[in-house]
Amino acid sequence: MNFTLKIWRQKDAKSHGAFETYKVSDISPDTSFLEMMDILNNNLIHEGKEPVAFDHDCREGICGMCSLHINGHAHGPEQAVTTCQIYMRKFRDGQTIVIEPWRSAAFPVIKDLVVDRGAYDKILQAGGFVSVRTNSVPDGNAIPIPKKDADESMDAAACVGCGACAATCKNGSAMLFVAARVSSLAKLPQGRVEGARRAKAMVAKMDELGFGNCTNTGACQAECPKSISIAHIARLNREFLSAKFED
Amino acid sequence: MSCFLTNSSLGKKLVMSVTGCFLVLFILFHMSMNITLLFSPEAYNMVCEFLGANWYALVGTVILVAGIAIHFIYALMLTVDNYRARGKQRYAVTVKEKGVEWASKNMLLLGWIIIGGLALHLIHFWSKMQLVEIMGSHYFTPEIDGTATVINPANGALLVAYTFSKWYNVLIYILWLAALWFHLTHGVWSMFQSVGWANDTWYPRLKCIAKIVATLVLLGFAVVLILMYLNSGDIIAQMSHWVPEA
């Protein structure tokens, strides 16, 4: 398969970027999107040009490191997968593919397609500790947790923190990420203890870092590679508001 | 507690939700008032007399203005925040995400249309009814069909029939109601989400309720407009010499 790639190139955070067009040819339909990028970079290196910088790590959809806004979609045109799980057979032969970095004021571009997602780490740090007994491993059945709660907690915990939610949101809001973190712990007895403090601290940090306000469009859940539901945002709203009214 | 309503994103959304809920209730109240016109112009005028420049109507007006002002000012504040958060550099390619309603991304635009319609509505009716009474007058003299006519500010039925005898007013109000329909289809379910009263089971139900409320509002107001247009001649003739009972 052959493709025309329009890729955002930017030397560093301070430079102005622009799109550059590249051609890749003889790509196997079973090549993953990131492997296609590797092939492009290999070609560029052989031509003596600067390869395209992009984030990646596990390449199996669990680390949250890959990003990329591909033809208008965070993580490409397929639902519920990360960029590393997209295969070139999902595109048409000869198609032009526009590849952009995440666009959000809180995620500044570092180089080409790499953005600084450190803001999410700062929100996580603001979440603080979880009350658990240390020392020996406790018995798995010592604290009974209803299946429904455990499932909801796990659904939220599937968040890989990739930033697609804030990158997709027209308001640059990180609510789905914060909600997933708050919700996954709030549904478990161990995390419940600090529930109120955590919700307030993480929301305060999110606001401080310049993320926008959620307007319930639902674009985040549509583009989330882990299909995290905005029902978790409703839970965050409950957690936060009840914590505030108790102050 | 004292300031999270102004400095926290979730606090601001709570204010939008509560004021939005209040405005939806007001719209339903206004609609039920209008519907009396379908049964009796005299009954409608009784409602107008009841809601003249009496103290309770004035208190209600002040609360309503505050509700609209807060809802609108907060919308502007949130939009400015969001514009900044989005950053200067935008995507070259954008798409409509799956399941995302057009209205949800255009609430401010719809809000501007609604405010514009509201300004026209106040000029058409409020300035000739409650405002006349607040200014201490007991009548006003609009030019109906080119002749100055002395009418009582509580003669709402005549004013409504006259205003909607013009086809272009009917058209403008229907466009206004259409914008309100879109605004409510997102706003009504969204206000539950913002206070946290929603989950995956309830999203389809809440969105269905929102569409029902929006459609009820659209039909409830539109039916009065259309019937006024069709019957304006009769009602103007019937109500031209109406005076309130002492």
Side-chain angles (χ1 to χ4, degrees), chain B residues 145-232:
Chain B
D145 294 330
T147 49
T149 313
V150 177
I151 74 166
N152 189 286
N155 195 348
L158 179 64
L159 195 55
V160 172
Y162 173 67
T163 306
F164 296 118
S165 65
K166 316 282 185 207
W167 65 268
Y168 50 83
N169 281 339
V170 177
L171 183 68
I172 291 169
Y173 273 66
I174 285 176
L175 290 175
W176 183 35
L177 289 172
L180 185 63
W181 185 87
F182 279 106
H183 199 80
L184 292 180
T185 54
H186 180 67
V188 169
W189 82 263
S190 196
M191 70 196 188
F192 290 96
Q193 169 79 355
S194 292
V195 295
W197 288 344
N199 58 36
D200 284 324
T201 310
W202 273 85
Y203 286 129
R205 298 174 188 172
L206 289 174
K207 287 180 182 181
C208 178
I209 290 168
K211 286 209 171 78
I212 291 171
V213 171
T215 307
L216 263 181
V217 167
L218 175 70
L219 294 179
F221 281 103
V223 73
V224 175
L225 291 179
I226 291 164
L227 287 177
M228 282 298 112
Y229 175 70
L230 296 175
N231 299 325
S232 55

Side-chain angles (χ1 to χ4, degrees), chain A residues 100 103 207 213 216 229 238, chain B residues 9 82 86 92 190 193 196 200:
Chain A
E100 301 174 71
R103 299 287 190 202
D207 290 345
N213 307 287
N216 308 328
S229 165
R238 280 201 293 283
Chain B
S9 58
N82 294 344
R86 201 72 188 91
S190 196
Q193 169 79 355
D200 284 324

Side-chain angles (χ1 to χ4, degrees), chain A residues 180-218:
Chain A
R181 297 309 191 197
V182 165
S183 196
S184 71
L185 292 170
K187 290 301 284 185
L188 298 177
Q190 294 91 337
R192 186 62 263 166
V193 183
E194 297 85 14
R197 192 199 57 76
R198 182 183 306 113
K200 285 188 289 184
M202 291 180 85
V203 168
K205 184 55 83 176
M206 171 182 82
D207 290 345
E208 180 197 319
L209 291 170
F211 286 102
N213 307 287
C214 175
T215 57
N216 308 328
T217 67

Side-chain angles (χ1 to χ4, degrees), chain B residues 121-133:
Chain B
H121 183 59
L122 292 179
I123 293 166
H124 276 156
F125 297 104
W126 178 77
S127 70
K128 291 165 186 160
M129 298 171 79
Q130 196 185 45
L131 182 64
V132 170
E133 288 193 36

Side-chain angles (χ1 to χ4, degrees), chain A residues 8 69 72-73 100-101 103 105 167 169-171 207 210 212-217 219 222 229-231 234 237-238 240, chain B residues 8-10 13 78 81-82 84-86 89 91-93 95 98 100 104-105 186 189-190 193-194 196 198 200 203:
Chain A
W8 183 261
H69 204 255
H73 288 282
E100 301 174 71
R103 299 287 190 202
C169 177
K170 76 173 182 71
N171 310 320
D207 290 345
N213 307 287
C214 175
T215 57
N216 308 328
T217 67
S229 165
I230 57 167
N237 290 336
R238 280 201 293 283
F240 176 85
Chain B
S8 159
S9 58
L10 271 62
K13 288 296 295 173
L78 289 165
D81 286 350
N82 294 344
R84 284 199 193 117
R86 201 72 188 91
Q89 191 74 49
Y91 291 115
V93 181
V95 292
K98 198 177 163 215
V100 175
S104 74
K105 288 192 163 188
H186 180 67
W189 82 263
S190 196
Q193 169 79 355
S194 292
D200 284 324
Y203 286 129

